[in-house]
Amino acid sequence: MGGEANGTLNPSCGSSEPPYSEELLRSLDLPGRFLFATLTLMTLIAILVFIEEAVYIYRKIPSSKSSIIIWINAAAPVISTTSCIGMWVPRSTMFTDFTAGIFFAIVIHKFLMMMIKECGGQKVLLRRFENGHFTISTGPCCCCCLCLPRVPITRQTLFWLKLGTFQFAVFRPVLIFLSIVLWTNGNYVLYNLSPKGPALWISCFIGALTLCALWAVGIMFRKVRILLKCKNIIPKFALYQFIVILNHLQTTIINIFATQKIISCAPPLSSTARGSYISQQLLIMEMFLITVISRVVYRRKYHDLEPPECVAEEPGDKKQAPKIILNGAVVEDALPKV
């Protein structure tokens, strides 16, 4: 930075490639080494907390839900781990970001499936909201389109919601694979957002797929948030939203600042490499906090919560007879349903 002030440009500031690990570690002073050690320790603690939580979930929660909940809980530790690897090995940033992106695309689909599972499954959800409607004027796509009609809750509409998240879990890995293929041929440059390059168009397509997936989750959450309030669905959704904002929006803003040279270079890091460096350090701290909070929110026995305790009907919906689930059998009006 001192070289820039004197009118000279350090070679690393004009480089498009991040430095090697050895070069970065040699440039660290004592506070920098302490920060590296602290962030690495936070990542290791997050991994240990997740492993302990996964064992608890596997033992205490029914198998039909445990795998989905473990996937969702793994989002923050995985992002923290990939960020830590990218911090230690700057040249691996593209691959660590791709790995975190693929994993979180699957987590978005798993979160939608978790809400359906917590309602008792698709068949129970359809019976409970037999005459209900989905409100599709919700974020992030149509929050301002209040004139949109409400959609009846049917097997078909549930299929389209699941397809909205499933397409993201399928197409994002495909697009990332295409990006790696183009990168090996020298056509894909991560921070080259020129209209003539593929990075801009692939990023825009991934952004559109992301909005569709988040929209499907938002529609489902808006419908079941009262029903599942007793299962802490609102704090769970808040944690999920924080991960979306921090992993996508925050990283995108920092990368734009770095590309426009608002974040100055600090040898041996160029502006873009330093932007990724800052983003990774922030994500490690943020994902550590989310991992700890998730342990508190998810660490409860879901099978002890009975669905009739948190039933919420829409105004005008057809009233249903009270149901109690007892040892896997549905009881209506105190008589077992055969």
Side-chain angles (χ1 to χ4, degrees):
M1 292 173 65
E4 289 180 290
N6 294 329
T8 60
L9 182 65
N10 191 291
S12 62
C13 291
S15 174
S16 60
E17 293 292 336
Y20 289 102
S21 301
E22 297 82 0
E23 187 180 356
L24 176 64
L25 295 176
R26 280 197 304 267
S27 68
L28 292 176
D29 53 8
L30 184 59
R33 293 174 183 176
F34 178 76
L35 179 62
F36 254 59
T38 302
L39 294 176
T40 304
L41 180 62
M42 293 175 72
T43 302
L44 293 175
I45 293 175
I47 294 173
L48 292 176
V49 170
F50 165 70
I51 293 174
E52 187 272 339
E53 180 66 10
V55 172
Y56 174 85
I57 291 172
Y58 181 77
R59 291 179 177 177
K60 301 295 184 179
I61 294 179
S63 58
S64 60
K65 300 178 184 178
S66 60
S67 62
I68 295 178
I69 296 174
I70 289 174
W71 268 94
I72 296 171
N73 273 268
V78 167
I79 294 173
S80 179
T81 302
T82 55
S83 299
C84 186
I85 294 172
M87 181 183 69
W88 279 94
V89 188
R91 293 204 171 205
S92 69
T93 296
M94 185 178 75
F95 298 98
T96 56
D97 289 349
F98 284 171
T99 302
I102 291 173
F103 189 88
F104 193 67
I106 299 173
V107 168
I108 291 177
H109 179 65
K110 293 290 185 180
F111 193 88
L112 177 72
M113 298 306 298
M114 183 193 72
M115 289 191 288
I116 296 175
K117 287 282 187 181
E118 293 289 13
C119 291
Q122 179 172 307
K123 292 182 179 179
V124 175
L125 187 146
L126 290 172
R127 287 201 304 267
R128 189 182 300 277
F129 297 111
E130 184 178 357
N131 298 318
H133 294 78
F134 282 126
T135 303
I136 61 175
S137 56
T138 184
C141 292
C142 303
C143 53
C144 298
C145 303
L146 302 179
C147 58
L148 290 176
R150 300 172 74 202
V151 179
I153 299 176
T154 63
R155 189 180 301 274
Q156 185 177 8
T157 54
L158 275 182
F159 169 78
W160 283 111
L161 288 182
K162 290 190 287 186
L163 184 64
T165 56
F166 184 74
Q167 54 82 21
F168 188 48
V170 171
F171 285 118
R172 182 158 192 177
V174 172
L175 290 172
I176 287 177
F177 176 76
L178 176 62
S179 301
I180 294 174
V181 171
L182 293 174
W183 174 78
T184 59
N185 197 45
N187 303 113
Y188 184 92
V189 180
L190 185 60
Y191 299 111
N192 181 11
L193 299 181
S194 169
K196 296 181 180 179
L200 175 63
W201 302 108
I202 291 176
S203 298
C204 290
F205 194 46
I206 289 178
L209 296 178
T210 304
L211 290 177
C212 291
L214 297 179
W215 188 31
V217 175
I219 292 171
M220 178 61 72
F221 171 74
R222 186 166 180 174
K223 183 62 187 177
V224 303
R225 60 184 176 181
I226 297 176
L227 174 67
L228 299 180
K229 187 176 180 180
C230 61
K231 295 196 175 185
N232 272 344
I233 194 63
I234 296 177
K236 293 173 184 176
F237 185 77
L239 291 171
Y240 151 84
Q241 288 285 72
F242 275 127
I243 297 177
V244 171
I245 293 171
L246 296 174
N247 189 43
H248 290 81
L249 186 59
Q250 173 185 270
T251 303
T252 301
I253 292 173
I254 292 175
N255 288 338
I256 291 173
F257 286 165
T259 304
Q260 299 300 318
K261 309 298 182 182
I262 297 175
I263 298 176
S264 60
C265 72
L269 296 169
S270 63
S271 296
T272 53
R274 192 181 178 208
S276 299
Y277 183 70
I278 293 172
S279 176
Q280 289 157 355
Q281 292 179 335
L282 289 174
L283 281 174
I284 290 173
M285 293 183 284
E286 293 157 353
M287 294 303 116
F288 171 78
L289 293 176
I290 290 178
T291 301
V292 174
I293 297 172
S294 296
R295 183 182 183 276
V296 177
V297 172
Y298 282 90
R299 194 178 181 87
R300 57 187 308 174
K301 298 179 180 179
Y302 290 93
H303 57 273
D304 291 337
L305 299 175
E306 298 294 341
E309 294 179 6
C310 46
V311 172
E313 295 182 352
E314 279 190 309
D317 284 358
K318 181 181 178 181
K319 293 185 178 180
Q320 298 181 0
K323 299 178 182 179
I324 301 175
I325 298 176
L326 184 61
N327 295 329
V330 178
V331 180
E332 286 189 11
D333 298 330
L335 295 175
K337 183 179 179 181
V338 181

